[in-house]
Amino acid sequence: RDAFLSLLATNPAELAEGSTVGTASTRRRAQLLHSYPHLKVVQLRGNVETRLQAMREGQVQATILALSGLKRLTQEGVVTCILTTSEMLPAPCQGAIGIMCREGDMPLRKLLSAAGHLPTMMEVSAERACLQAVLGQSPEMPAFAVACHATATLQQQAAGTAAGPGPAPAYMMSMECLCTDADGKVMLRQQRSREISAAVGSRQQSEEAGTLPGGEELLLHCARQLGQELGVLLRGAAIKQGWL
């Protein structure tokens, strides 16, 4: 989620016409101008205090920052309001914390998996797959903005009995993605929901292969498939717009 900061308004809609919002993010600029074309968006870089000082001095009337970053800095108190994903779709994987390790180091991967949060892993996998599908193999950053947000919600918890393992866990995976030109004049959105389940047989195969336990590898694979499907649709739309 993104946070709106201002000394003059409680939300972007309250900003007067011609008000200046500072951000260095093309994604935030585009979505802001799409919803509030009466505002002016300018480049604003620096840490939180630098941006707050710019507001105090009247250089800008508002700014937008990642809520997760403010929380980690224990500066939630500067937040004027938290923007909904309908107002500001976040960047892929925004707010997620990842730990890297050697791909073939299975003992370490198993150790780290205990600290992993499966719904977040599914969401990040879907969002990364979406971004990769949109951008393709191009080494250059596109001239348009990409945003996506995935949510994995547990629908059914496995419950083992003396007779054997319970039903495989099932998650409802919802995902929304968009790409837009830098000024927010053309915005392309895609949204899809799907139930994802890990079958018992796949769970056993996953454990025998030494990958993630409990069928998690299958769940992550299905999450990536969903993200890729939406990414392919967005890429096709972006090509039609001449952005790629």
Side-chain angles (χ1 to χ4, degrees):
R1 300 280 288 276
D2 285 296
F4 174 76
L5 284 66
S6 179
L7 302 176
L8 302 176
T10 60
N11 58 66
E14 289 187 0
L15 289 171
E17 184 171 356
S19 294
T20 301
V21 181
T23 178
S25 166
T26 302
R27 172 186 63 85
R28 291 175 179 137
R29 166 192 168 85
Q31 293 187 78
L32 198 63
L33 289 175
H34 182 79
S35 300
Y36 309 103
H38 66 284
L39 299 178
K40 180 181 179 182
V41 181
V42 298
Q43 284 281 325
L44 180 62
R45 299 182 183 275
N47 57 30
V48 176
E49 183 54 38
T50 299
R51 300 187 189 207
L52 289 175
Q53 187 60 33
M55 287 197 298
R56 296 189 194 104
E57 295 175 353
Q59 299 177 34
V60 296
Q61 283 70 61
T63 187
I64 299 175
L65 297 171
L67 179 62
S68 57
L70 293 171
K71 284 184 175 180
R72 289 169 192 160
L73 293 170
T74 65
Q75 296 202 48
E76 301 101 309
V78 303
V79 175
T80 303
C81 78
I82 300 172
L83 300 175
T84 67
T85 54
S86 297
E87 294 174 300
M88 185 69 63
L89 206 62
C93 308
Q94 179 170 303
I97 298 176
I99 301 176
M100 296 180 64
C101 71
R102 294 180 296 275
E103 184 176 8
D105 193 337
M106 292 306 174
L108 181 56
R109 289 184 64 182
K110 286 186 176 181
L111 183 65
L112 292 175
S113 69
H117 183 248
L118 180 56
T120 300
M121 293 167 66
M122 293 171 64
E123 293 161 4
V124 166
S125 295
E127 292 173 7
R128 290 182 65 185
C130 177
L131 181 63
Q132 185 175 23
V134 172
L135 300 183
Q137 302 300 318
S138 175
E140 300 180 1
M141 289 300 294
F144 61 93
V146 180
C148 59
H149 180 251
T151 304
T153 306
L154 181 64
Q155 300 293 302
Q156 177 179 282
Q157 179 64 58
T161 66
Y171 288 83
M172 179 55 69
M173 193 88 187
S174 299
M175 189 168 188
E176 182 176 8
C177 316
L178 68 80
C179 59
T180 173
D181 65 304
D183 294 323
K185 294 180 179 178
V186 178
M187 183 171 291
L188 312 171
R189 300 181 86 106
Q190 292 287 344
Q191 188 172 3
R192 189 169 294 179
S193 295
R194 178 180 301 165
E195 185 177 273
I196 296 175
S197 176
V200 175
S202 297
R203 181 191 312 151
Q204 182 179 355
Q205 292 171 10
S206 178
E207 292 174 341
E208 291 174 351
T211 55
L212 297 172
E216 292 181 9
E217 189 62 49
L218 177 63
L219 291 171
L220 296 179
H221 173 73
C222 293
R224 286 192 290 268
Q225 281 188 322
L226 177 60
Q228 184 178 30
E229 289 174 13
L230 290 180
V232 168
L233 291 175
L234 280 182
R235 179 175 176 80
I239 290 174
K240 288 183 179 179
Q241 291 293 328
W243 297 343
L244 287 170

